[in-house]
Amino acid sequence: MFDRSISGTFAPGSTFKIVTSVAAALAGKFDKNTAYYCPGGFFKNGVHLRCLGYHGTITYESAFARSCNTYFCNLGVAVGETKIREAALARGLGQRTGIEIGGATESRGVIPTLDWLRKVSHKKNPPWYLGDTANFSIGQGYTTVTPLQMANVAAMVANNGTIYKPHLLRSVKGPLGRAEVKTITPEVLHHLDLPQDFWDELKRALVGVIDSPNGTATDARIPGITWGGKTGSAEHGHGLVTHAWFVGFAPIDDPKIVVCVLGERAGHGATVAPIAQQMVQHY
């Protein structure tokens, strides 16, 4: 009876790289041509975080398609944890969506703000390390989200930065039809005012995850449909096999459907990409 879609909280893994990209744009530090060198991980000032591969010198679109942790750790450190928090909170992470089911059982998840750190550490000035920022950038560490929240992250990109309140219901009426019917209308929660060029680039990066020869979700391809997504493999502290994520929307040029798939202890995000593919293809 535990509704994981709204009450389960999980590290988002590499699906959070969408948010890190937004943070870079908000900070004025997003440049698709900026390159970082990936020697198989992020190694800096004693911090060691492994990558999925040895990508060498790599720029944004390729790093996104191949889910290069090294690139996004470097990008997140350049942007700083303050802007990453701002981007996450501005798009509704760390907060209940208010959907009509669940009520208080809907989880907020965790975005590690300073107030949250003070509360859990019982320290006035809790430490925040370089490794915390690197982990934050790739959706690990303290950060947790619900599947519904991550679906809304994908919807944000589809809507070019406009974030709507998710609804289960189309309309509401009183018993026996005595009350006036209330139709649910779209409700904007946030809008991220960023250049259209940025959203276009982010969408191209999402398409590359599926269509690029080196993309992490090539099994999600659908003949005749161009769509985009992001895989994630999230560590969770309960065994070595990661949770598998996929979020995306279709079609890329006129979005109609958003999907979020989470497979607990299912391995790499590519493992669940075919489930998303089947959902979109059926729709």
Side-chain angles (χ1 to χ4, degrees):
M1 301 302 291
F2 181 68
D3 187 348
R4 284 166 170 76
S5 65
I6 61 170
S7 301
T9 55
F10 312 86
S14 291
T15 60
F16 194 82
K17 291 170 183 174
I18 298 171
V19 179
T20 304
S21 301
V22 170
L26 289 171
K29 295 185 178 182
F30 181 85
D31 183 348
K32 66 178 183 178
N33 297 314
T34 296
Y36 293 106
Y37 181 73
C38 172
F42 177 79
F43 309 114
K44 190 172 184 178
N45 296 344
V47 177
H48 293 181
L49 293 174
R50 68 182 180 88
C51 192
L52 290 173
Y54 298 81
H55 299 125
T57 301
I58 192 167
T59 53
Y60 179 75
E61 283 190 31
S62 182
F64 199 95
R66 300 169 75 176
S67 204
C68 177
N69 285 342
T70 308
Y71 183 96
F72 281 91
C73 286
N74 277 291
L75 181 63
V77 168
V79 169
E81 70 274 11
T82 299
K83 278 295 179 183
I84 301 174
R85 287 189 189 110
E86 180 184 326
L89 295 170
R91 74 117 332 267
L93 298 181
Q95 305 155 55
R96 294 189 179 107
T97 68
I99 196 168
E100 296 92 342
I101 53 175
T105 66
E106 183 184 5
S107 297
R108 291 183 172 89
V110 171
I111 296 300
T113 62
L114 292 178
D115 284 344
W116 181 86
L117 287 166
R118 291 186 188 104
K119 182 178 179 179
V120 298
S121 68
H122 306 290
K123 295 180 180 179
K124 184 176 181 180
N125 295 302
W128 181 272
Y129 301 106
L130 177 71
D132 294 326
T133 302
N135 265 314
F136 197 8
S137 306
I138 58 173
Q140 292 287 172
Y142 301 118
T143 307
T144 61
V145 296
T146 68
L148 178 61
Q149 287 173 332
M150 290 313 297
N152 224 19
V153 166
M156 168 196 68
V157 183
N159 292 316
N160 299 317
T162 300
I163 300 155
Y164 293 93
K165 179 179 179 179
H167 286 285
L168 179 71
L169 307 178
R170 179 167 295 179
S171 62
V172 181
K173 64 181 180 179
L176 304 178
R178 288 195 294 262
E180 181 180 354
V181 174
K182 176 186 176 183
T183 301
I184 304 299
T185 56
E187 180 182 344
V188 175
L189 296 179
H190 306 276
H191 180 75
L192 300 178
D193 190 14
L194 291 168
Q196 185 60 43
D197 287 351
F198 166 73
W199 298 115
D200 292 343
E201 176 59 30
L202 184 49
K203 289 176 184 179
R204 279 192 292 271
L206 289 162
V207 170
V209 171
I210 296 172
D211 284 356
S212 170
N214 295 317
T216 56
T218 56
D219 286 345
R221 292 174 183 170
I222 302 173
I225 298 175
T226 301
W227 70 299
K230 184 72 190 79
T231 57
S233 307
E235 297 176 0
H236 46 77
H238 301 286
L240 297 178
V241 182
T242 57
H243 294 331
W245 286 91
F246 181 92
V247 298
F249 60 88
I252 199 71
D253 55 352
D254 186 22
K256 300 296 184 185
I257 181 173
V258 161
V259 294
C260 174
V261 181
L262 169 66
E264 293 184 64
R265 304 184 192 183
H268 191 271
T271 306
V272 298
I275 300 173
Q277 183 248 25
Q278 291 175 48
M279 294 167 68
V280 171
Q281 195 165 29
H282 180 76
Y283 179 86

